[in-house]
Amino acid sequence: MNSISVRALLVRGMLAGLAAALPALAVAYLLGEPRVDSAIAFEEAHSHEHGGAELVSRTMQSTAGLSTGVLVYGVAFGGIAALAVCVALGRIGRFGPRATAALVSLGALVAGYLVPFFKYPANPPAVGDPSTLDQRTTLYFLMVVLSVLLSVGAVILGKRLAPRLGNWNATVAASVAFIVAVGLAYAFLPSFNEVPEGFPATVLWQFRLAALTVQCTLWASFGLVFGHLAERLLAPRPTAEDQVAATGATGLATAERP
C-alpha cells in the first residue's frame, strides 16, 4: 500500500461511512426514537422536579440532532475502518479487498460494539443513576479498548498458531482464547442494575434492540459499500479496450513466432 492508495481508501471509507449512516439513521429514527419518547414520558411522570425551559427542543433532538450524530459517527468510523482495511489487507490471509472489508466490518461490529454492549448495554432516558454516569462511561470505554486489543491479540495468536495447527484449528484456538479473556473481563469489571422500579421492561428491551439494530445496519452497509469501492480501486476489472488490446497483443505475439 502506497500513500496514494491509502489516501484514496481513506476518502472512500469516509464516503462509504456516510452512505452506511443513511439506512442506520432511518432505523434509529423509526425504531429508536419512539422508545426514547416512551422513556422520557415515564421520566416526566415520575419526576418530582419541575424542569425549566428546554435548551434544545425534543423535535430538534430527534431530527437534526440525531441526523448530525449518526452521520458524523458514520464518516468518522468509516475513515478509521478504511485505515484498518489498509493494515489488514494481505496480512490476515489471502483475501481480496471486498472480503477484507467485510471481515474488518464484522470485527468492528463484534469488538467495537457487541462485546461492550453485552456488558454495558445502552440505556434509554430515566434508566441509570446520574451519580454513576461518569463511572459507567469510563468502564464502557475501557471495555471497548479491552475488546479491540483482545481481538487484535486473537488475530496475531491465530496467525502464529496456523503453521503448527492449520488455519482451522488455529482460528478455533484463537477464538476460544478471545472468549475466555472477554469472560474474565466481564467477571472482574463491575456491573450496574439501575433500572427504576416500574420502568416498562418492553421499552427497555426494545430500545436496546433498536440500538443493536442500528449498529448492525451501519456496519453491514459499510462492509458492502466500502468493499465494492475498495475492489474497484485496487482490483479494477479490465475494460473492453484493455481486452481488445490484450487480444491483439496475444495475436501479434503468436504471428511473430517462427
Side-chain angles (χ1 to χ4, degrees):
M1 298 293 297
N2 55 46
S3 60
I4 298 177
S5 297
V6 172
R7 185 164 56 250
L9 281 177
L10 176 61
V11 173
R12 283 162 174 77
M14 296 173 69
L15 292 176
L18 179 61
L22 296 177
L25 174 61
V27 172
Y29 183 78
L30 295 175
L31 297 184
E33 286 304 310
R35 279 73 198 178
V36 173
D37 291 335
S38 299
I40 292 175
F42 175 88
E43 185 178 36
E44 292 177 346
H46 293 77
S47 177
H48 300 289
E49 299 179 0
H50 299 284
E54 292 182 329
L55 296 178
V56 181
S57 67
R58 174 64 189 138
T59 301
M60 182 66 69
Q61 293 175 9
S62 62
T63 53
L66 177 65
S67 300
T68 302
V70 174
L71 295 177
V72 170
Y73 179 93
V75 172
F77 279 90
I80 295 173
L83 295 178
V85 170
C86 293
V87 175
L89 192 61
R91 293 184 174 91
I92 59 174
R94 297 180 179 178
F95 299 106
R98 191 186 295 267
T100 302
L103 289 174
V104 169
S105 298
L106 179 61
L109 175 63
V110 173
Y113 187 78
L114 290 183
V115 172
F117 174 85
F118 289 126
K119 178 63 178 177
Y120 301 112
N123 287 328
V127 175
D129 186 353
S131 63
T132 64
L133 177 61
D134 292 340
Q135 183 183 8
R136 285 184 283 118
T137 302
T138 301
L139 288 171
Y140 176 81
F141 283 107
L142 174 61
M143 193 68 232
V144 172
V145 173
L146 283 175
S147 178
V148 172
L149 292 177
L150 289 174
S151 63
V152 173
V155 172
I156 295 174
L157 177 63
K159 287 181 65 65
R160 292 187 175 181
L161 293 177
R164 287 182 294 172
L165 303 180
N167 290 334
W168 175 260
N169 292 332
T171 302
V172 171
S175 300
V176 171
F178 175 76
I179 293 172
V180 171
V182 170
L184 291 174
Y186 278 14
F188 284 102
L189 290 176
S191 301
F192 300 90
N193 183 16
E194 299 175 346
V195 180
E197 183 178 356
F199 190 87
T202 302
V203 173
L204 179 61
W205 165 251
Q206 290 178 345
F207 176 84
R208 290 175 174 175
L209 186 60
L212 182 60
T213 305
V214 169
Q215 292 291 328
C216 291
T217 302
L218 176 70
W219 287 109
S221 301
F222 175 81
L224 293 173
V225 175
F226 182 67
H228 173 71
L229 295 178
E231 188 171 71
R232 289 188 60 183
L233 175 67
L234 301 177
R237 294 181 180 180
T239 62
E241 292 79 3
D242 294 335
Q243 293 176 350
V244 171
T247 302
T250 302
L252 180 60
T254 302
E256 291 178 350
R257 288 180 183 175

